[in-house]
């Protein structure tokens, strides 16, 4: 019998193998779920889109962005809402809108996301310039005076892209706020008419959702306010002007011209800002008006949430008064 050695039940071995396989499968699934999407969509000045499957190093090389700024767009990391102007790009991190804007291209992360698809479609519609829209008239036909005025007065490419992003995020947050209002006001009215554990728990969950949404709206609002308060930061967003140079009044020749991004990077921030804002205080007026419009919209959304919070607080005060009254009645009854 000594030659037989120690025996292990075959059934136990099979169960052990199955458990290990299941554990490996679960681990693999978790790893797959945490993999960052490499998918981007590129849109040019005519609205043409190209889906890119590239890593972060390819993106850094494509748009000349550093790793620190690109990290703001990592969906696995939690960064506050950001509108960041750099030498040749604008970095946008607004909730699900994670984008890099250059003077002639928009890169948008996760284009297959259900919240991003409408933004891609809107960019395709609104990015083409006035000149592109009138190209179909034929080479022999000269643009009319009205068409020339439209071309001169239209927003730069980067601002058309920025406007789409701001409009999308403000509309998105306002829609979430209206949904919350639709659920919360009836729940509060029901609670005042009947105090029960079910109604209290329902209002508690809605209050938590309102607090989270208020924080999200507040972050976007604060970022816009901070940008509006600093003309130098707004001037940094004029990418087309940096590329083309700022012309003298009455002259078509640029005051300063950047031969390469390297030359621009050698200039101090103060020198760059002074060169960009050479034409005076109204130099950032068009961008300021754009930002103010969406600041007012997000401010309105925040005011809705503040009003909702006050209504919840009033309801809580009313409920506490009711409970105190019932408690006093019980105490008086017990003393008799």
């Amino acid at each position: 019998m000594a030659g037989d050695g120690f025996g292990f039940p075959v059934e136990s071995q099979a169960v052990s193998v199955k458990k290990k396989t299941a554990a490996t499968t679960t681990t693999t699934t978790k790893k797959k779920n945490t993999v960052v999407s490499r998918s981007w969509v590129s849109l040019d000045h005519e609205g043409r889109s190209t889906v890119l499957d590239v890593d972060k190093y390819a993106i850094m090389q494509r748009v000349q962005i550093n790793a620190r700024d690109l990290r703001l767009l990592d969906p696995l990391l939690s960064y506050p809402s950001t509108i960041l102007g750099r030498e040749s790009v604008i970095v946008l991190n607004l909730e699900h809108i994670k984008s890099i804007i250059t003077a002639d291209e928009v890169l948008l992360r996760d284009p297959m996301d259900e919240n991003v698809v409408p933004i891609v479609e809107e960019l395709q519609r609104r990015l083409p310039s006035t000149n592109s829209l009138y190209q179909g008239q034929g080479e022999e036909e000269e643009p009319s005076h009205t068409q020339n005025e439209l071309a001169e007065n239209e927003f730069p490419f980067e601002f058309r892209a920025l406007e789409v992003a701001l409009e999308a995020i403000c509309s998105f947050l306002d829609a979430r706020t209206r949904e919350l209002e639709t659920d919360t006001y009836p729940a509060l009215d029901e609670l005042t008419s009947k105090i029960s554990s079910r109604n209290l728990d329902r209002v508690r969950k809605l209050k938590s959702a309102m607090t989270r949404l208020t924080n999200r709206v507040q972050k976007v609002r604060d970022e816009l306010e901070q940008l509006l308060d600093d003309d130098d930061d707004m001037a940094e967003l004029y990418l087309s002007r940096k590329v083309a140079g700022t012309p003298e009044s009455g002259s078509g020749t640029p005051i300063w011209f950047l031969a390469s991004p390297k030359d621009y990077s050698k200039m101090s921030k103060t020198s760059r800002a002074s060169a960009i804002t050479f034409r005076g205080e109204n130099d950032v007026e068009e961008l300021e008006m754009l930002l103010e419009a969406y600041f007012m919209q997000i401010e309105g959304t925040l005011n809705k949430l503040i009003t909702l919070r006050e209504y919840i607080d009033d309801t809580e005060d009313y409920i506490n008064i009711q409970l105190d009254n019932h408690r006093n009645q019980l105490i008086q009854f017990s003393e008799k």
Side-chain angles (χ1 to χ4, degrees), residues 165-183:
L166 290 175
E167 183 179 315
I169 193 60
C170 289
S171 300
F172 176 82
L173 292 173
D174 189 63
R176 302 290 82 76
T177 300
R178 282 186 274 109
E179 289 174 1
L180 188 62
E181 285 179 322
T182 303
D183 293 337

Side-chain angles (χ1 to χ4, degrees), residues 12-285:
S12 299
Q13 289 180 339
V15 172
S16 178
V17 170
K18 284 181 181 178
K19 285 182 179 179
K20 287 181 180 179
T21 306
T24 306
T25 306
T26 304
T27 305
T28 306
T29 305
K30 286 182 180 179
K31 286 182 179 179
K32 285 181 179 178
N33 290 336
T34 56
V35 170
V36 180
S37 172
R38 290 158 44 103
S39 182
W40 294 75
V41 63
S42 167
L43 297 105
D44 63 14
H45 63 281
E46 293 183 0
R48 293 186 297 247
S49 62
T50 305
V51 177
L52 308 174
D53 186 18
V54 293
D55 59 16
K56 63 180 181 180
Y57 301 106
I59 295 294
M60 289 166 60
Q61 185 175 6
R62 184 185 183 98
V63 296
Q64 299 301 307
I65 187 175
N66 60 50
R68 181 187 60 188
D69 293 338
L70 185 59
R71 201 173 294 120
L72 295 172
L73 307 180
D74 192 333
L76 296 182
L77 302 176
S78 179
Y79 284 100
S81 295
T82 306
I83 303 174
L84 191 63
R86 288 301 190 223
E87 293 176 6
S88 58
V89 300
I90 298 173
V91 182
L92 282 183
N93 178 31
L94 300 172
E95 297 275 327
H96 53 274
I97 305 174
K98 301 182 183 299
S99 176
I100 303 171
I101 302 173
T102 71
D104 56 8
E105 181 186 32
V106 178
L107 290 174
L108 198 60
R109 190 159 206 160
D110 297 335
M112 297 299 112
D113 185 277
E114 61 178 358
N115 293 319
V116 179
V117 170
I119 301 171
V120 175
E121 294 173 351
E122 190 65 14
L123 285 169
Q124 289 172 332
R125 187 179 71 84
R126 291 165 61 173
L127 282 182
S129 64
T130 305
N131 291 334
S132 300
L133 295 175
Y134 287 115
Q135 279 179 352
Q137 293 181 346
E139 295 181 1
E140 298 180 359
E141 185 179 350
E142 294 184 0
S144 66
H145 180 68
T146 305
Q147 293 165 13
N148 285 331
E149 285 183 349
L150 288 172
E152 290 173 3
N153 295 329
E154 71 176 357
F155 265 9
F157 173 85
E158 62 270 21
F159 292 166
R160 296 200 297 275
L162 178 61
E163 183 175 18
V164 171
L166 290 175
E167 183 179 315
I169 193 60
C170 289
S171 300
F172 176 82
L173 292 173
D174 189 63
R176 302 290 82 76
T177 300
R178 282 186 274 109
E179 289 174 1
L180 188 62
E181 285 179 322
T182 303
D183 293 337
T184 304
Y185 284 116
L188 291 171
D189 293 339
E190 186 176 348
L191 179 61
T192 54
S193 62
K194 182 182 179 181
I195 303 174
S196 65
S197 299
R198 176 181 170 275
N199 289 339
L200 285 169
D201 187 58
R202 182 184 175 192
V203 170
R204 179 187 61 81
K205 291 177 180 178
L206 289 169
K207 185 178 180 180
S208 298
M210 184 212 61
T211 302
R212 290 193 298 271
L213 183 57
T214 301
N215 290 335
R216 292 161 62 189
V217 172
Q218 185 75 51
K219 287 176 183 177
V220 176
R221 185 248 180 219
D222 289 347
E223 181 63 21
L224 288 175
E225 183 180 38
Q226 183 179 349
L227 195 56
L228 282 166
D229 287 341
D230 195 324
D231 286 355
D232 289 348
D233 285 347
M234 283 193 284
E236 286 288 335
L237 303 185
Y238 279 79
L239 304 181
S240 298
R241 188 182 299 168
K242 294 176 187 178
V243 174
T246 307
E248 289 181 354
S249 57
S251 172
T253 57
I255 293 172
W256 56 278
F257 181 78
L258 303 178
S260 68
K262 189 179 292 184
D263 295 334
Y264 184 77
S265 64
K266 291 177 182 177
M267 300 173 65
S268 67
K269 183 175 179 181
T270 305
S271 301
R272 280 184 273 137
S274 61
I276 291 169
T277 58
F278 178 82
R279 286 180 292 183
E281 293 179 354
N282 294 331
D283 194 58
V284 294
E285 185 178 0

